[in-house]
Amino acid sequence: MVAQQALEQRSNNSCELCTEKNNLAVYPVPPTSDLSAQQSILVCDTCLTQIEGNADLDINHWRCLTDSMWNQEPAVQVMSYRMLHKLSTESWAQDALDIIYMEDAVKTWAEQGIAAAERAGPTRDSNGAELHDGDDVTLIKDLKVKGANFTAKQGTLVRGITLTDNPEHIEGKVNGTRIVLVADYLKKA
């Protein structure tokens, strides 16, 4: 609650990205926000739903970033940079990325979130098919299982996999042992 009051005062009760005055919420800037005003921003519902990926990006809405990227608050700079990066196929967004200035620590923070978002993509098998929780997969090569003293043989069916936080790995049961498997060595069954 204290952070929200500080953010409302800092932003003059408007979205710190697009200046909208309605439906404002505190957004803790990932990947490691301590929920303080220094590591959060005040955003409108339109910005929030697009930042979180719950709505398609409205390219014209985000032209506001060419103003917000100059904000003195590091958290606002970070989110402006990240959204410009998402829109970097647009010439105006790429131009803004070329001229944006941030302190080294702020830029590192901004890039951590971009790297985390890119890692959080879908998990894909060796053929590029998207994997989901509960899918069955087949091993495409023999894999020595560290710590379990056995080799998972090519062609072994792994039923009811579980996705992990890392899109390169899945969890599944092989020979009665729950292990982590590299998605590149699997084929969707």
Side-chain angles (χ1 to χ4, degrees):
M1 192 57 117
V2 174
Q4 182 162 354
Q5 292 171 342
L7 290 170
E8 288 170 353
Q9 185 175 15
R10 177 175 88 189
S11 68
N12 196 23
N13 289 315
S14 62
C15 176
E16 293 186 277
L17 297 176
C18 74
T19 69
E20 172 64 40
K21 298 254 184 216
N22 299 316
N23 301 320
L24 302 175
V26 174
Y27 179 72
V29 179
T32 55
S33 176
D34 61 6
L35 305 177
S36 68
Q38 293 77 24
Q39 293 188 356
S40 301
I41 61 173
L42 195 65
V43 293
C44 67
D45 189 49
T46 302
C47 288
L48 182 62
T49 57
Q50 292 181 49
I51 288 170
E52 293 181 335
N54 298 329
D56 292 335
L57 290 178
D58 178 355
I59 294 166
N60 288 325
H61 173 80
W62 290 108
R63 289 185 180 266
C64 61
L65 296 172
T66 57
D67 292 329
S68 66
M69 69 186 216
W70 301 113
N71 191 301
Q72 296 301 306
E73 292 297 326
V76 178
Q77 293 174 5
V78 165
M79 284 311 302
S80 296
Y81 182 86
R82 289 179 186 171
M83 293 310 296
L84 285 167
H85 187 270
K86 277 188 179 180
L87 296 161
S88 62
T89 57
E90 299 294 317
S91 61
W92 63 267
Q94 187 58 55
D95 291 345
L97 281 171
D98 291 342
I99 63 171
I100 194 171
Y101 173 79
M102 296 185 296
E103 297 291 332
D104 290 341
V106 176
K107 188 165 186 175
T108 299
W109 180 18
E111 289 173 345
Q112 283 174 337
I114 291 169
E118 288 172 351
R119 280 193 310 274
T123 300
R124 298 192 182 277
D125 72 0
S126 60
N127 295 327
E130 190 170 338
L131 298 174
H132 302 282
D133 280 331
D135 283 348
D136 296 339
V137 295
T138 305
L139 299 179
I140 61 168
K141 67 181 268 183
D142 290 352
L143 300 173
K144 183 161 176 62
V145 180
K146 296 177 185 173
N149 294 331
F150 72 87
T151 300
K153 298 289 185 186
Q154 178 180 350
T156 300
L157 181 65
V158 182
R159 295 185 182 275
I161 65 167
T162 304
L163 300 182
T164 66
D165 291 339
N166 183 342
E168 297 174 7
H169 298 127
I170 62 102
E171 286 185 11
K173 238 180 199 179
V174 176
N175 294 347
T177 304
R178 189 146 189 88
I179 60 172
V180 174
L181 297 163
V182 177
D184 287 342
Y185 301 138
L186 307 171
K187 179 177 72 172
K188 195 171 188 174

